[in-house]
Amino acid sequence: MKRQIDMLNGPLLGKMLMFALPIAASSILQQLFNSVDVAVVGKFSSPQALAAVGSNGSLINLMINLFVGISIGANVVISRCVGKHDDEGIKRAVSTAIGVSLVSGALLLLFGVSMARVILEAMDTPSDVIDLSVLYLRVYFLGMPAIMLFNFSSSILRSVGDTRRPLYCLAAGGVVNVVVNLVLVIFFHLDVLGVAVGTVIGNIVAATLVLRILGREAEPFRLQWSGVRFFRKELSHMLSIGVPAGVQSMVFSFANVFIQATINSYGAMAVAGSAAALNYEHYCYFVIAAFGSAATTFTGQNYGAKQGARCRVIFRHAMWLSVLGCGLLNVLFVWQERWAIGLFSSNAEVLDFAFVRMETVLLWQWIACSYEISSASLRGLGYSSLPALLTIVGTCVLRLCWIYFYCPYHPDFQSLMIVYPISWILTGAMVVTAHQIVFRKKLIG
């Protein structure tokens, strides 16, 4: 219980930092291990292997984000029960969350393994890359049950402010991932297969550790496998909050899959360069997502406890902390872009494509804080469908229109990349406005 954070009383800034920083570290660590995958094949194999491993990110996110969103719903449901001191509700929500993770992991495994080639062919993956991409994707999805169990179990612990132990579990799994990668690629020359197997093993280790923690946790958070089943009320609440949150994330990934398909048309060097630069966008995004998670959890508890004034303070703190953190990283990585991309490849053409993406996209990523934090705050209040709908318009529709109506007349790589900051500005303006209207209605009216 010492690991819990009292979100309902006292100053908020320090507690939000204490909550968010381990989440950011967890996500950055997870991405760092993925970056090791990319770097290992980039340095010890071919640009085609680099493209195969690095270009699957948007497709993987598209396929798992719905269920990751439902884990956010579990976080909100448990947070509200904590605010209301409803121990029985917490027990039912924990049981339901683990049940959902098992089902979602199995579904993703079956879908990913069976549909990998069909989807990659539909994305026009280059012919010299597609076989390696299919291999990586199929092996990666064998570990999907472990990924889902880790995400849902971590959301249970985070609902009471315990963000450190999921970080420790992820760190242990990541070290295993890196060691297995290096051994299989350098000594056994398994290249793409080696890094895929390392990722699966690392995810299994992380999931096993966090499940052991839940199994030893104090009531009402303890996981008892014999009692895992679905409770209708808790499942309904998780889905009502989590599905729109997942759809919102899927919308981004859906649009990015089409952008990735367009990038594929530039050839393997463009795919490799974009994949290398994308790693740094992930690092910066995780800072935003961490403070978004803090906004959702803190808002959920305080709204459950009917403390509306604190919800407003939570939103302001989360917004400015995310802008500051993301913005500083954006500038740092672009400033050191030659060193940053040099970690992945020394090919001159790969470097050129990577620099274009970093200077056009990464430098302006802090703008995304506007809709990410606003959406997270709305989810804490129970409004999840509204930001999802606005995101569909501001991101998916705009990016698809850009690809099909603008890019054919402006076929250079930078013209494709500029759609990112444009869509962030439009989506941010809409979601921030919606957030202010809802806050007035829920916290004043």
Side-chain angles (χ1 to χ4, degrees):
M1 304 305 290
K2 294 179 181 178
R3 298 181 181 90
Q4 295 186 11
I5 296 175
D6 182 2
M7 305 180 190
L8 303 175
N9 303 285
L12 287 163
L13 182 60
K15 294 177 181 179
M16 291 182 68
L17 283 169
M18 189 185 306
F19 180 96
L21 291 180
I23 295 180
S26 296
S27 300
I28 290 172
L29 191 62
Q30 196 167 23
Q31 182 59 35
L32 181 62
F33 299 139
N34 179 262
S35 298
V36 170
D37 292 352
V38 177
V40 167
V41 294
K43 289 293 187 180
F44 297 99
S45 188
S46 63
Q48 287 74 21
L50 170 61
V53 173
S55 64
N56 273 314
S58 59
L59 180 55
I60 290 171
N61 289 336
L62 174 63
M63 296 170 73
I64 72 173
N65 273 343
L66 174 61
F67 300 103
V68 172
I70 297 174
S71 75
I72 295 173
N75 180 295
V76 174
V77 170
I78 297 172
S79 296
R80 286 190 179 182
C81 290
V82 172
K84 297 175 182 178
H85 305 288
D86 180 5
D87 286 356
E88 288 301 315
I90 293 172
K91 290 181 181 180
R92 294 192 298 269
V94 169
S95 172
T96 303
I98 296 299
V100 172
S101 72
L102 292 171
V103 172
S104 60
L107 290 174
L108 285 167
L109 186 156
L110 293 173
F111 184 81
V113 170
S114 62
M115 297 298 293
R117 179 169 289 275
V118 174
I119 298 173
L120 288 168
E121 287 177 348
M123 292 174 62
D124 292 328
T125 303
S127 58
D128 56 344
V129 173
I130 189 165
D131 288 338
L132 293 174
S133 294
V134 170
L135 174 63
Y136 180 81
L137 199 59
R138 283 177 171 164
V139 176
Y140 185 98
F141 271 83
L142 291 177
M144 199 52 64
I147 293 175
M148 290 295 105
L149 280 167
F150 178 83
N151 276 291
F152 277 82
S153 300
S154 297
S155 73
I156 293 168
L157 294 173
R158 289 168 180 168
S159 66
V160 289
D162 184 358
T163 57
R164 293 184 181 181
R165 286 187 293 177
L167 170 61
Y168 302 151
C169 297
L170 186 63
V175 170
V176 172
N177 177 15
V178 172
V179 172
V180 174
N181 281 353
L182 293 172
V183 170
L184 294 182
V185 173
I186 296 175
F187 296 103
F188 291 91
H189 308 291
L190 293 181
D191 299 337
V192 170
L193 177 60
V195 297
V197 169
T199 300
V200 170
I201 294 174
N203 286 327
I204 291 173
V205 170
T208 300
L209 292 174
V210 78
L211 286 170
R212 288 190 65 183
I213 289 173
L214 276 181
R216 298 175 179 179
E217 196 70 2
E219 293 289 357
F221 297 96
R222 180 178 297 163
L223 169 61
Q224 297 178 339
W225 288 103
S226 60
V228 171
R229 61 183 184 274
F230 298 106
F231 290 89
R232 182 178 298 178
K233 178 182 177 182
E234 283 69 27
L235 179 60
S236 176
H237 287 170
M238 286 182 195
L239 295 178
S240 66
I241 296 169
V243 169
V247 169
Q248 181 176 341
S249 297
M250 287 180 68
V251 164
F252 281 99
S253 298
F254 181 75
N256 288 340
V257 164
F258 280 88
I259 291 177
Q260 183 63 51
T262 307
I263 293 172
N264 291 345
S265 68
Y266 291 92
M269 297 302 105
V271 176
S274 178
L278 187 60
N279 282 278
Y280 297 100
E281 292 172 37
H282 287 315
Y283 291 132
C284 297
Y285 172 77
F286 293 141
V287 174
I288 306 175
F291 287 109
S293 182
T296 297
T297 306
F298 277 71
T299 300
Q301 281 203 24
N302 282 275
Y303 185 64
K306 302 185 184 302
Q307 298 190 131
R310 289 174 67 84
C311 293
R312 290 183 173 277
V313 177
I314 291 164
F315 171 72
R316 290 198 296 269
H317 285 344
M319 180 63 77
W320 289 113
L321 287 170
S322 65
V323 169
L324 180 62
C326 180
L328 287 174
L329 286 178
N330 293 159
V331 172
L332 174 63
F333 287 138
V334 173
W335 175 44
Q336 295 294 325
E337 62 181 9
R338 185 163 294 278
W339 171 84
I341 301 302
L343 294 174
F344 298 94
S345 177
S346 56
N347 183 287
E349 193 175 357
V350 170
L351 294 178
D352 288 341
F353 279 108
F355 294 159
V356 169
R357 177 156 192 153
M358 293 184 78
E359 293 164 12
T360 308
V361 180
L362 179 62
L363 188 60
W364 306 101
Q365 193 179 13
W366 57 269
I367 300 171
C369 298
S370 57
Y371 63 81
E372 289 286 352
I373 302 301
S374 298
S375 298
S377 181
L378 286 170
R379 284 193 288 271
L381 296 178
Y383 280 72
S384 195
S385 297
L386 179 60
L389 178 62
L390 294 176
T391 299
I392 290 173
V393 175
T395 299
C396 187
V397 174
L398 174 62
R399 291 181 184 179
L400 291 179
C401 289
W402 191 271
I403 290 169
Y404 288 106
F405 298 110
Y406 181 83
C407 288
Y409 301 99
H410 302 83
D412 60 290
F413 188 69
Q414 187 173 34
S415 293
L416 173 63
M417 292 292 103
I418 202 172
V419 72
Y420 282 101
I422 292 174
S423 63
W424 291 335
I425 292 171
L426 176 61
T427 307
M430 293 192 296
V431 179
V432 168
T433 301
H435 176 272
Q436 295 305 312
I437 293 172
V438 170
F439 254 46
R440 291 194 198 100
K441 176 182 176 182
K442 298 290 284 187
L443 302 184
I444 298 179

